[in-house]
Amino acid sequence: MPEIRVTPLGAGQDVGRSCILVSIAGKNVMLDCGMHMGFSDDRRFPDFSYITRSGRLTDFLDCVIISHFHLDHCGALPYFSEMVGYDGPIYMTQPTQAICPILLEDYRKIAVDKKGEANFFTSQMIKDCMKKVVAVHLHQTVQVDDELEIKAYYAGHVLGAAMFQIKVGSESVVYTGDYNMTPDRHLGAAWIDKCRPNLLITESTYATTIRDSKRCRERDFLKKVHETVERGGKVLIPVFALGRAQELCILLETFWERMDLKAPIYFSTGLTEKANHYYKLFIPWTNQKIRKTFVQRNMFEFKHIKAFDRAFADSPGPMVVFATPGMLHAGQSLQIFRKWAGNEKNMVIMPGYCVQGTVGHKILSGQRKLEMEGRQVLEVKMQVEYMSFSAHADAKGIMQLVGQAEPENVLLVHGEAKKMEFLKQKIEQEFRVSCYMPANGETVTLPTSPSIPVGISLGLLKREMAQGLLPDAKKPRLLHGTLIMKDSNLRLVSSEQALKELGLAEHQLRFTCRVHLHDTRKEQEAAARVYSHLKSVLKDHCVQHLPDGSVTVESILIQAAAHSEDPGTKVLLVSWTYQDEELGSYLTSLLKKGLPQAS
């Protein structure tokens, strides 16, 4: 029995280090290869020992697919390809291919140069890893080998994010990566066609959340920033270099211009100039409005937002600073946070999801005394606000995507177990499909029934249409015909056409059933009694008594014969063609009940 097997090596009932192993029709594919923001030990990377046991990785894996450039989806890639050892193809979109190495290098600098970590990938390893990458265009079907093909769909979320369909023969799996079903200021909404895969693997970060209107959230955000700046406070907005950062920059830029505000807005340097450069480069991946206005004005060239210098953090007076990374787990955003946390005039706005273990998660959980490195305790007096500008689909968006793709099964990853449980029940109730949520290292096995494509002759279809039944995509129809196999292709044609094509004479197949009848009279008399009985019961059918003593009902033939051992019993032989199967069965059961007594 063919089957699809799925094992999360990361992101099973967890957010972080996405890495899902899929086996489909004998092909093995790794979906994403990320790291976990909440750990700095071995748990940071997925557990690759699960697949290294099976010998050389390049022999075992047919390909690796990276959905987008966020580190929890690509952060372990150089470690996996260069240190664990994988030489096969790695597929991603062009923007992901361009931005991935920049974020990986930045991550390496923080881990190795600043924290002094050993057993980490080098700059050269990032370059060597990126040489194995094959860029994919949206909606382009890429043949990985003779049997395995992949196709990318637009996912919104961040620049270059894609959902991938993996197909072998008639079996297919769709992996969403991270996606957003609502368009925003700089990206469009995710979209997939009705591809009806055997399995849809979807993220479920916000499995229980239904977000309020975006306009209200934006208004609230601008109000809080404005109030803080007016009272002379500083606002820290921790972001990742690409994605929400550009979204909120566009929002603040237009607000500053409209209100003619003078307080400076800064963006932590380095990554962002490069980031904005790529947004300009890959303008086709943004939304329609930005593409339209691009000729007159590039939305990513900001007038009010300047590059940040470390010394600015100590400057007096109000300011707004966008700093990376977004979860306050390291880097510049954490350094600024430590400097500003003690002043109640200041504010930190967390615009996205924070993984457990990060400073971001701790302050959002209400912790106001934080133990930092070297046993130092940091007292948080600044205001802490959480505003979801996350580019993940909410519960409504996830349900919308399931409805769009119409999968046979759904599997949830990249979410918290309790929230997944709720969404799982909702999906099963609404769509009547099985939904799974495996933990890391747990395998889900789905049996698949292969569909075999068959061509149908026009003559046969016309005959069906002549019966006045209109086709309905949701109701399967039964078609009678002859199946012909030629050059590995199957066709269903009418039996007349099949005989003609194959040069065969028609044979008729009849089914015969024996019915024992208690009757001491001669065979001819028994047949006459059968005729009289059937004539009185079957008023709508043509019943005839033939000169040779046999009886016919339509094409059904009934003959009476003597029983070889019991002279008091007659044997009725009832025979019919397969077209009259129903009538033949009915007559047999009728005769088995016996004949009425002769008066």
Side-chain angles (χ1 to χ4, degrees):
M1 182 79 174
E3 58 186 28
I4 293 171
R5 287 198 316 280
V6 182
T7 312
L9 304 184
Q13 299 180 7
D14 184 20
V15 177
R17 59 167 183 226
S18 284
C19 185
I20 292 109
L21 202 63
V22 172
S23 293
I24 172 171
K27 301 286 174 186
N28 296 314
V29 178
M30 181 184 278
L31 302 167
D32 281 335
C33 190
M35 50 76 69
H36 202 297
M37 306 278 187
F39 300 115
S40 50
D41 54 15
D42 290 350
R43 293 171 296 174
R44 169 173 47 206
F45 294 142
D47 180 9
F48 297 122
S49 65
Y50 184 88
I51 44 177
T52 46
R53 288 188 291 238
S54 51
R56 275 194 75 229
L57 275 183
T58 313
D59 298 336
F60 174 73
L61 276 182
D62 291 279
C63 71
V64 172
I65 293 171
I66 301 294
S67 62
H68 64 292
F69 58 64
H70 277 159
L71 290 175
D72 60 330
H73 293 260
C74 72
L77 195 57
Y79 172 79
F80 176 69
S81 72
E82 305 313 303
M83 294 169 82
V84 180
Y86 168 74
D87 292 321
I90 300 165
Y91 293 94
M92 55 180 79
T93 65
Q94 281 174 317
T96 307
Q97 183 187 22
I99 296 161
C100 214
I102 302 167
L103 297 188
L104 287 168
E105 179 54 34
D106 191 60
Y107 172 41
R108 188 203 65 77
K109 273 183 194 157
I110 292 173
V112 180
D113 301 352
K114 289 191 182 156
K115 292 188 182 171
E117 289 186 29
N119 193 26
F120 212 83
F121 51 80
T122 62
S123 294
Q124 188 54 47
M125 284 178 184
I126 296 173
K127 286 176 189 144
D128 293 340
C129 165
M130 294 312 290
K131 284 175 190 163
K132 296 168 187 171
V133 170
V134 180
V136 182
H137 297 290
L138 284 180
H139 308 298
Q140 170 200 5
T141 301
V142 176
Q143 264 335 115
V144 176
D145 59 28
D146 293 346
E147 295 164 317
L148 173 63
E149 60 179 52
I150 62 171
K151 186 179 184 180
Y153 291 94
Y154 189 77
H157 188 63
V158 290
L159 191 72
M163 304 190 263
F164 280 87
Q165 182 183 37
I166 300 111
K167 205 170 176 195
V168 182
S170 62
E171 290 176 33
S172 69
V173 171
V174 167
Y175 173 59
T176 65
D178 291 350
Y179 62 100
N180 193 4
M181 292 300 281
T182 47
D184 54 31
R185 281 166 191 273
H186 75 296
L187 294 173
W191 179 86
I192 194 163
D193 54 20
K194 213 174 266 324
C195 50
R196 300 194 175 99
N198 299 95
L199 175 66
L200 172 75
I201 302 173
T202 172
E203 65 129 321
S204 52
T205 319
Y206 289 103
T208 55
T209 310
I210 291 187
R211 273 195 235 105
D212 54 357
S213 111
K214 207 153 133 289
R215 197 156 282 175
C216 296
R217 256 176 300 147
E218 290 180 345
R219 209 169 43 229
D220 208 16
F221 168 76
L222 294 170
K223 185 173 171 242
K224 288 204 161 76
V225 172
H226 193 194
E227 283 171 0
T228 309
V229 168
E230 286 290 283
R231 65 166 178 262
K234 296 174 168 60
V235 181
L236 171 64
I237 307 168
V239 286
F240 288 103
L242 287 124
R244 297 312 84 200
Q246 281 68 24
E247 183 75 3
L248 296 174
C249 280
I250 294 172
L251 186 60
L252 276 187
E253 171 84 5
T254 46
F255 183 71
W256 245 239
E257 198 142 301
R258 199 172 72 230
M259 303 293 287
D260 196 24
L261 297 176
K262 297 291 178 265
I265 307 175
Y266 299 114
F267 208 124
S268 62
T269 47
L271 271 180
T272 319
E273 287 91 277
K274 279 183 179 168
N276 287 342
H277 163 71
Y278 284 115
Y279 269 92
K280 294 168 201 171
L281 191 63
F282 295 112
I283 214 83
W285 284 79
T286 59
N287 68 20
Q288 216 169 348
K289 189 181 170 194
I290 288 188
R291 289 203 299 269
K292 264 187 192 163
T293 57
F294 182 64
V295 188
Q296 298 97 29
R297 181 188 168 201
N298 185 338
M299 290 291 271
F300 300 107
E301 275 164 8
F302 302 116
K303 270 198 282 184
H304 297 275
I305 301 169
K306 305 281 182 283
F308 180 74
D309 186 294
R310 205 165 289 183
F312 295 172
D314 302 313
S315 304
M319 67 175 79
V320 179
V321 176
F322 286 96
T324 58
M327 299 188 192
L328 289 178
H329 57 281
Q332 205 157 33
S333 60
L334 186 58
Q335 286 166 17
I336 299 169
F337 172 75
R338 290 170 79 153
K339 283 186 176 178
W340 294 359
N343 188 338
E344 58 271 2
K345 262 190 187 177
N346 300 338
M347 179 183 280
V348 59
I349 298 178
M350 305 298 293
Y353 185 87
C354 289
V355 166
Q356 213 163 351
T358 58
V359 172
H361 187 273
K362 286 173 188 168
I363 60 169
L364 287 178
S365 309
Q367 264 190 9
R368 289 298 173 261
K369 282 191 167 63
L370 304 173
E371 197 176 306
M372 309 306 275
E373 287 139 43
R375 295 276 167 138
Q376 233 185 322
V377 174
L378 178 68
E379 197 170 346
V380 181
K381 289 183 182 172
M382 75 194 302
Q383 292 179 53
V384 177
E385 293 286 346
Y386 171 67
M387 289 186 184
S388 174
F389 283 98
S390 173
H392 290 274
D394 62 0
K396 202 164 136 196
I398 296 167
M399 298 296 275
Q400 199 182 330
L401 188 88
V402 175
Q404 232 174 57
E406 285 192 4
E408 289 172 17
N409 302 276
V410 177
L411 188 141
L412 304 177
V413 293
H414 201 286
E416 296 161 32
K418 270 189 188 157
K419 294 178 180 178
M420 280 181 170
E421 195 62 62
F422 170 81
L423 186 65
K424 176 183 185 296
Q425 287 173 356
K426 213 164 156 39
I427 289 170
E428 287 180 334
Q429 280 166 7
E430 191 160 323
F431 297 105
R432 309 228 175 279
V433 296
S434 297
C435 185
Y436 305 88
M437 41 173 282
N440 287 335
E442 190 185 324
T443 302
V444 168
T445 304
L446 300 171
T448 59
S449 42
S451 57
I452 301 162
V454 173
I456 297 178
S457 77
L458 203 58
L460 198 60
L461 277 176
K462 279 181 179 169
R463 185 188 291 180
E464 278 294 305
M465 296 301 285
Q467 291 175 14
L469 296 167
L470 290 169
D472 181 351
K474 291 195 175 166
K475 284 185 189 161
R477 283 268 291 282
L478 204 59
L479 275 180
H480 288 282
T482 306
L483 201 60
I484 297 178
M485 186 172 177
K486 197 175 179 183
D487 304 329
S488 304
N489 287 328
L490 290 167
R491 278 188 315 130
L492 192 68
V493 299
S494 63
S495 46
E496 300 82 37
Q497 191 179 336
L499 292 170
K500 197 172 165 188
E501 277 187 31
L502 302 168
L504 297 172
E506 187 172 0
H507 294 270
Q508 203 178 56
L509 192 65
R510 292 186 77 86
F511 300 91
T512 302
C513 187
R514 300 162 81 86
V515 179
H516 291 97
L517 187 69
H518 184 68
D519 197 331
T520 51
R521 278 163 281 205
K522 286 195 170 78
E523 289 84 46
Q524 287 91 334
E525 287 175 48
R529 283 183 68 209
V530 168
Y531 168 70
S532 309
H533 176 51
L534 295 180
K535 186 91 175 147
S536 66
V537 175
L538 303 171
K539 293 197 163 51
D540 297 335
H541 292 275
C542 174
V543 184
Q544 289 179 299
H545 194 180
L546 303 181
D548 66 356
S550 56
V551 177
T552 62
V553 181
E554 310 294 354
S555 73
I556 294 162
L557 183 68
I558 303 165
Q559 291 171 309
H563 194 285
S564 55
E565 290 165 14
D566 180 5
T569 301
K570 297 291 171 285
V571 179
L572 297 178
L573 300 170
V574 185
S575 81
W576 62 86
T577 61
Y578 82 91
Q579 288 97 330
D580 281 327
E581 170 75 40
E582 215 174 307
L583 184 59
S585 301
Y586 172 67
L587 282 180
T588 309
S589 56
L590 190 67
L591 292 169
K592 275 181 181 170
K593 289 175 187 169
L595 301 177
Q597 291 300 312
S599 52

